[in-house]
Amino acid sequence: MRAIKRILFFASLLMIWEVSVRVSGVSESLMPAASRVFLELYRGFADMTLVYDLQASFKRLFVGLAIGVSLGAALGVLLAKSKTADETLGTLVLALQSVPSIVWLPIAIMWFGMNEIAVIFIIVLGATFVMTINMRVGIKNVNPLYIKAAQTMGSSGFDLFKRVIFPASIPYAVTGLKLAWAFGWRALMAGELLSTGPGLGYTLRFASDFGNMSMVIGVMIIIGTVGSIMDLFVFQRIERNVIKRWGLEN
């Protein structure tokens, strides 16, 4: 039933879009009709251009996310377990977390040039800090009763961390992973706008430079669709499983 509602909603939106453009007679260079956008997308997938773009974008995203999430998780553990690190490095992480990824772009280009490494660097920065903060909060919020109970049974040190503290912080880690994906995905698009391609961001800029508004809107639809698919079919499922497994349901 939920799926039918969504299909009807988006079908209605597309119909309103198509009719509005055709009735108003607005220039195609400003707002093409929905049918024109989907025809452009069909051509892009038929000649494999958009397929190569997706492959290149996902390759950069997965490399950047793997580095960012690993680094962020390690930093989060450090901040949660070390008061000195939390009071010094933690303040810096909080400050850097508020800096938008696109602001790092000039530095990335000056350090690495307009290449793959610069884009991956932006993704790493986008994912690391948000993962760090969630991991830190997750470990700090572990119920002390769990720790005391484990200690009375002889658990301590790394064994205590592995068996009690880390598993109890998993819900926060999943939230951090979801946010890291979202921040990394946005950072990827920002980085690819100035890359030499291929990639969705590069195609977006290329289409804009040549006044191909149909492709600009088409790439925006792909970016939003990929984000929704990842959220609905990957992260929401993981969150439901974690909530059920950890007994967090109301």
Side-chain angles (χ1 to χ4, degrees):
M1 192 63 185
R2 187 184 299 174
I4 294 173
K5 282 183 183 177
R6 285 174 178 165
I7 290 171
L8 289 175
F9 172 72
F10 285 107
S12 302
L13 276 185
L14 290 175
M15 192 174 296
I16 293 170
W17 174 9
E18 181 77 22
V19 172
S20 300
V21 171
R22 289 184 181 278
V23 170
S24 65
V26 66
S27 170
E28 192 174 281
S29 61
L30 294 178
M31 177 53 75
S35 57
R36 184 74 182 81
V37 171
F38 283 96
L39 178 62
E40 194 68 28
L41 285 176
Y42 172 76
R43 288 175 181 164
F45 281 107
D47 65 14
M48 300 295 285
T49 305
L50 291 174
V51 175
Y52 296 139
D53 286 336
L54 280 168
Q55 287 177 344
S57 292
F58 273 105
K59 180 183 173 185
R60 296 180 185 119
L61 180 67
F62 287 137
V63 172
L65 267 185
I67 298 172
V69 168
S70 303
L71 190 58
L75 278 174
V77 173
L78 175 65
L79 297 186
K81 303 303 289 183
S82 168
K83 187 177 178 182
T84 301
D86 194 30
E87 291 174 348
T88 53
L89 184 59
T91 308
L92 178 63
V93 169
L94 277 176
L96 293 177
Q97 194 265 338
S98 63
V99 179
S101 300
I102 197 167
V103 174
W104 293 99
L105 203 52
I107 295 177
I109 292 173
M110 284 190 282
W111 283 357
F112 306 109
M114 292 175 62
N115 53 33
E116 294 277 323
I117 299 176
V119 179
I120 291 172
F121 175 74
I122 297 296
I123 299 168
V124 170
L125 290 177
T128 298
F129 301 127
V130 70
M131 186 68 195
T132 300
I133 290 170
N134 277 275
M135 200 69 206
R136 171 189 172 277
V137 173
I139 291 177
K140 277 187 169 290
N141 282 336
V142 174
N143 192 330
L145 288 176
Y146 297 163
I147 298 175
K148 287 179 182 175
Q151 287 174 332
T152 58
M153 289 186 282
S155 181
S156 62
F158 182 70
D159 182 71
L160 178 66
F161 178 81
K162 184 180 72 174
R163 293 178 182 274
V164 179
I165 297 176
F166 182 73
S169 67
I170 289 294
Y172 288 90
V174 170
T175 302
L177 183 62
K178 180 179 177 180
L179 290 174
W181 144 261
F183 279 65
W185 182 239
R186 294 171 193 169
L188 169 68
M189 293 304 127
E192 284 187 345
L193 282 174
L194 293 180
S195 73
T196 54
L200 288 175
Y202 169 76
T203 298
L204 183 67
R205 193 199 73 201
F206 187 82
S208 175
D209 289 345
F210 285 88
N212 187 351
M213 185 59 82
S214 297
M215 181 56 79
V216 169
I217 296 176
V219 172
M220 290 173 66
I221 290 173
I222 293 174
I223 293 170
T225 302
V226 170
S228 298
I229 289 173
M230 289 296 293
D231 188 66
L232 286 172
F233 296 102
V234 178
F235 292 109
Q236 285 193 17
R237 288 187 177 185
I238 294 175
E239 282 180 332
R240 280 198 295 270
N241 289 334
V242 168
I243 288 172
K244 186 177 178 182
R245 173 69 178 81
W246 266 253
L248 300 175
E249 290 176 308
N250 293 323

